[in-house]
C-alpha cells in the first residue's frame, strides 16, 4: 500500500471530526475555501515529511489504541533547567526516571520564550525553536528518540491561547500590519473591552489586573487574559487555526508524543460570558485533534482546563463530541478533593463530587491524575456541591485557603497565597506537596509523629493517583518530598509569583542517596513501590470503569475499579486515626481475597472489622 493511500484512509476516518467543525467555525469567512485547501495541503506535506520511524509508531498505536491507558503509564513533570540544566543533561537522568517507573515525561515549556519574565516559559516568541538556554530542536528530537528507545513518551507544551507580544505575528501586528492585527484581539477604543470585562474573571488580579492592556503607542487595547506580555490569539480567524495546526504538526514530526494544550478554556470570546469553555472551544479542539490524527496519528492531546467538575468533562468531548476531543485532561477536581478531605478529615464532599459529576467511564480518553503541579491550587468547589454536604461554598473555600496557607489554627500545612481576588474573595494557594502535607512544619518542630503523618499523607496521595484511573503525574521533586523553596522572593522576575515557591531545583544528592529511614527516603521508596505495584494490577487499566462509592465510614474514601477479571476495591483513610470498615461491607463490594495488591500483603480483620491505619490505603481484589 502506498503511503499516500494511508493518508487518504486517515483523512476519511477523521473527516467527520474536521470539516463540519471548520464549517461551523469559519464557513462564513470570505477566505474559507482557500483556507480548507491550504489546510489539506499542509496536512499532506506534514505527513510526507513525517520520519518513517514515527510513521511506524503511528501504525503501532493504531493497533494498540489503549497504550496511554495502561497501568504501566507513569508520568513525571519537570522544568528542564531546574531538573538537569539543559536537554543534554536530561539524557543523563533517564536512568533515574526509569528507576522510578516513569514512562511519560512532560518537559515544562521548552520552546523559545520572550526574555525576562516569561510566565515560566508560557510566553512563547518562537514555536519552531527550543529555548536556546536548553539546547536546540535537534537536541529535542534526540531526547525524543532516547526516550522512545526506553519505552517512554514525550509531552511538550503547546500554548495556543496566546503568544508572547514579542512573537513575530505580534510584532507585525504592532507595526500596523492589518493581516496580523487580525491574529489578535485588538480594539481601537475601550468600549468593547469594558463590556467584556463586566463578565470576565481576572486570572492574575494581583500583578496583571484586568483582561486588556492599553498600548498608547499603538493606540490599541489588546486582549491579555493572563499577563500583559501574553497576547490572546483570535481563534475566529481561520489563519490562526492554520498556523497553529502547522506548528503542532511540526512538533509532532520532531518526535513529540503528547501535546499539552495550554489554557484551552479561554480560546473563544463571547460578549456577556466569562469567555471560558464556550462551545466553539470544543469545535476547535476537536478539529485540531483530527488534524494530528490524520498526519501524525500517534500523537495525543492533553487539554489543560482547570475548571469546575461539569465544565471539565467537556474537554473529553460531551454529547456529539464524546470521545473525539482531548485524549487526556487534568483531573483537577480529584486533586482539589484530596486536599479538601485531608484538611477536614472527612471524605463526604470528595465522594459526593466525584460520584455525582464524573462518569464511570470515558471514551477514548483518560485522566491525567496528579496531586501537585507547577501551578497554584484553585478551590474549584461549587456552592451547590458544598451545600449538598451542609457547608457553604464560600466558607469552605476560605477555610481551605487558610488551612493551606498555614494560618488556620492547628493546620499542618505551610503554603502561600496566590492571586487573592478581593472582588470574588477567591484565594488560590501555592506550595510544595511535602510542605502542604505537613512535612516542613513537622521537621522544623522536630515532631516525629507529624513527620510520620506527612510521609503517609504523601504516599496516600500517590496511591490515590496511581489507582483512580488515568496517567499519574509526579511533579519534580515531590518524590523526594522537597519542601517550599523561598528563594524565589529574591529573584526579581519571580518575586511577584508565589508559584515559584514550588518550582525547586532538583536535589540530586537526595534523589540518588537518600537515607532510607529519612522522610525523603521513605517517600521515594514508597512512591517507587506504588508504581511497581500499579504496573502489576490489570484492573487499574484506564479502560475499566471507576465507581466511586460511599464508604460506611466518612473518614474513608472508596472506589471500585470494575474490571471484567475482577473488581478492585480501593480504600483510603484520610485521617491520622485508625478507622474501621466492616468486612461484610467489603465482601458485598466483591472483595474475596483479603490480600492487599498495594502492599502485596494480607490484610487481617478482627471481629468482622477491618481497621485501616492512619492514612492507610489498600487495593483489594
Ligand atoms: C496555564 C499554565 C500556567 C500559565 C497559564 C498561562 O494555565 O499552566 O502556568 O500561567 O497557562 O499560559
Ligand atoms: C487559571 C487558569 C488555569 C491556570 C492558572 C494559572 O486558573 O484557569 O488554566 O493554570 O490560572 O495560575
Amino acid at each position: 500500500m502506498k503511503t499516500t493511500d494511508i493518508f487518504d484512509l486517515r483523512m476519511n476516518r477523521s473527516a467527520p471530526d474536521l470539516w463540519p467543525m471548520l464549517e461551523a467555525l469559519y464557513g462564513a469567512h470570505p477566505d474559507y475555501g482557500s483556507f480548507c485547501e491550504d489546510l489539506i495541503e499542509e496536512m499532506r506535506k506534514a505527513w510526507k515529511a513525517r520520519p518513517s520511524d514515527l510513521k511506524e509508531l503511528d501504525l503501532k498505536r493504531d493497533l494498540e489504541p489503549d497504550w496511554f491507558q495502561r497501568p504501566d503509564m507513569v508520568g513525571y513533570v519537570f522544568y528542564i533547567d531546574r531538573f538537569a540544566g539543559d536537554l543534554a543533561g536530561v539524557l543523563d537522568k533517564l536512568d533515574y526516571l526509569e528507576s522510578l517507573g516513569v514512562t511519560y515525561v512532560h518537559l515544562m515549556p521548552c520552546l523559545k520564550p520572550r526574555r525576562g519574565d516569561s510566565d515560566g516559559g508560557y510566553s512563547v516568541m518562537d514555536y519552531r525553536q527550543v529555548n536556546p538556554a536548553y539546547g536546540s530542536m535537534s537536541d529535542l528530537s534526540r531526547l525524543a528518540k532516547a526516550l522512545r528507545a526506553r519505552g517512554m513518551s514525550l509531552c511538550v507544551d503547546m500554548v495556543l491561547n496566546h503568544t508572547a507580544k514579542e512573537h513575530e505575528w505580534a510584532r507585525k501586528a504592532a507595526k500596523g500590519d492589518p493581516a496580523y492585527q487580525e491574529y489578535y484581539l485588538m480594539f481601537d477604543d475601550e468600549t468593547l473591552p469594558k463590556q467584556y470585562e463586566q463578565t470576565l474573571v481576572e486570572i492574575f488580579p494581583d500583578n496583571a489586573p484586568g483582561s486588556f492592556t492599553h498600548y498608547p503607542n499603538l493606540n490599541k487595547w489588546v486582549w491579555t487574559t493572563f499577563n500583559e506580555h501574553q497576547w490572546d490569539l483570535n481563534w475566529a480567524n481561520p489563519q490562526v487555526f492554520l498556523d497553529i495546526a502547522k506548528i503542532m504538526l511540526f512538533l509532532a514530526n520532531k518526535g513529540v508524543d503528547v501535546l499539552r494544550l495550554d489554557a484551552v478554556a479561554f480560546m473563544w470570546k463571547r460578549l456577556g460570558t466569562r469567555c471560558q469553555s464556550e462551545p466553539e472551544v470544543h469545535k476547535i479542539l476537536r478539529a485540531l485533534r483530527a488534524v494530528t490524527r490524520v498526519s501524525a496519528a500517534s500523537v495525543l492531546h492533553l487539554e489543560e482546563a482547570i475548571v469546575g467538575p461539569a465544565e471539565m468533562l467537556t474537554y473529553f468531548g460531551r454529547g456529539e463530541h464524546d470521545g473525539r476531543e482531548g485524549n487526556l485532561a487534568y483531573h483537577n477536581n480529584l486533586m482539589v478533593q484530596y486536599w479538601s478531605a485531608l484538611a477536614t478529615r472527612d471524605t463526604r464532599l470528595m465522594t459526593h463530587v466525584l460520584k455525582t459529576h464524573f462518569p464511570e467511564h470515558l471514551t477514548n480518553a483518560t485522566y491525567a491524575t496528579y496531586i501537585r503541579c507547577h501551578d497554584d491550587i484553585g478551590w474549584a468547589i461549587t456552592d451547590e456541591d458544598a451545600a449538598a454536604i451542609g457547608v457553604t461554598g464560600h466558607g469552605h473555600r476560605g477555610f481551605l485557603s487558610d488551612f493551606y496557607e498555614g494560618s488556620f489554627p492547628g493546620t499542618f500545612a505551610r503554603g502561600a497565597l496566590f492571586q487573592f481576588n478581593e472582588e470574588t474573595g477567591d484565594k488560590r494557594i501555592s506550595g510544595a506537596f511535602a510542605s502542604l502535607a505537613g512535612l516542613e512544619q513537622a521537621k522544623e518542630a522536630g515532631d516525629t509523629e507529624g513527620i510520620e503523618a506527612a510521609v503517609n499523607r504523601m504516599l496516600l496521595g500517590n496511591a490515590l493517583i496511581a489507582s483512580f484511573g488515568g496517567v499519574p503525574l509526579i511533579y519534580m521533586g515531590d518524590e523526594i518530598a522537597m519542601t517550599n523553596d523561598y528563594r524565589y522572593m529574591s529573584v526579581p522576575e519571580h518575586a511577584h509569583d508565589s508559584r515559584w515557591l514550588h518550582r525547586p531545583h532538583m536535589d540530586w544528592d537526595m534523589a540518588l542517596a537518600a537515607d532510607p529511614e529519612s522522610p525523603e527516603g521513605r517517600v521515594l521508596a514508597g512512591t517507587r513501590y506504588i508504581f511497581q505495584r500499579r504496573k502489576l494490577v490489570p484492573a487499574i487499566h484506564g479502560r475499566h470503569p471507576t465507581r466511586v462509592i460511599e464508604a460506611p465510614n466518612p473518614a474513608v474514601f472508596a472506589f471500585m475499579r470494575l474490571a471484567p477479571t475482577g473488581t478492585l476495591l480501593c480504600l483510603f483513610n484520610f485521617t491520622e486515626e485508625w478507622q474501621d470498615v466492616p468486612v461484610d461491607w467489603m465482601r458485598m463490594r466483591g472483595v474475596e481475597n483479603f490480600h492487599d495488591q498495594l502492599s502485596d500483603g494480607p490484610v487481617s480483620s478482627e471481629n468482622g472489622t477491618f481497621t485501616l491505619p492512619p492514612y492507610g490505603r489498600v487495593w483489594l481484589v
Side-chain angles (χ1 to χ4, degrees), residues 173-387:
K175 283 212 185 103
D177 183 331
Y180 284 94
Q181 293 196 339
E182 277 299 299
Y183 274 51
Y184 298 92
L185 295 138
M186 301 179 120
F187 304 86
D188 293 332
D189 62 54
E190 223 181 342
T191 323
L192 275 172
K194 278 244 160 356
Q195 286 180 22
Y196 277 111
E197 275 188 337
Q198 287 181 0
T199 48
L200 287 172
V201 183
E202 291 176 280
I203 304 303
F204 295 150
D206 283 357
N207 59 291
S211 300
F212 299 86
T213 304
H214 181 228
Y215 293 91
N217 54 336
L218 306 181
N219 205 16
K220 296 269 186 207
W221 275 259
V222 180
W223 200 309
T224 51
T225 297
F226 292 86
N227 290 296
E228 175 274 326
H229 51 79
Q230 291 163 305
W231 285 13
D232 286 41
L233 284 164
N234 173 20
W235 279 89
N237 176 359
Q239 205 56 42
V240 166
F241 185 100
L242 182 65
D243 274 332
I244 294 282
K246 276 160 66 176
I247 293 168
M248 287 167 65
L249 294 178
F250 166 82
L251 292 172
N253 282 355
K254 298 293 173 200
V256 171
D257 297 271
V258 180
L259 289 166
R260 175 192 179 277
L261 308 182
D262 182 67
V264 289
F266 302 88
M267 288 163 72
W268 196 270
K269 326 292 185 192
R270 172 168 284 118
L271 205 60
T273 71
R274 293 180 306 137
C275 299
Q276 286 192 45
S277 305
E278 285 297 300
E280 287 81 357
V281 167
H282 300 293
K283 296 200 165 85
I284 297 170
L285 292 171
R286 178 168 169 188
L288 285 174
R289 177 165 168 208
V291 168
T292 49
R293 246 189 138 204
V294 173
S295 301
S298 55
V299 169
L300 300 185
H301 292 187
L302 163 60
E303 296 183 359
E304 190 239 0
I306 307 304
V307 292
E311 194 176 330
M312 191 234 135
L313 278 170
T314 60
Y315 289 89
F316 291 117
R318 293 282 91 187
E320 53 158 348
H321 304 309
D322 187 54
R324 303 180 164 271
E325 206 186 308
N327 310 87
L328 288 160
Y330 290 100
H331 204 328
N332 70 302
N333 290 280
L334 180 68
M335 179 275 288
V336 162
Q337 293 303 332
Y338 162 84
W339 291 112
S340 169
L342 269 189
T344 56
R345 279 83 167 170
D346 187 319
T347 68
R348 276 174 296 184
L349 180 61
M350 181 176 201
T351 304
H352 171 76
V353 166
L354 295 171
K355 195 170 112 166
T356 321
H357 299 295
F358 293 90
E360 293 181 355
H361 180 259
L362 299 169
T363 319
N364 300 334
T366 199
Y367 299 109
T369 55
Y370 66 111
I371 297 292
R372 284 305 287 123
C373 70
H374 67 292
D375 276 331
D376 50 290
I377 306 175
W379 303 114
I381 295 169
T382 64
D383 292 347
E384 294 73 31
D385 286 331

Side-chain angles (χ1 to χ4, degrees), residues 84-95:
D86 56 16
L87 284 168
V90 175
L91 288 174
D92 297 332
K93 307 299 185 198
L94 297 186
D95 286 344

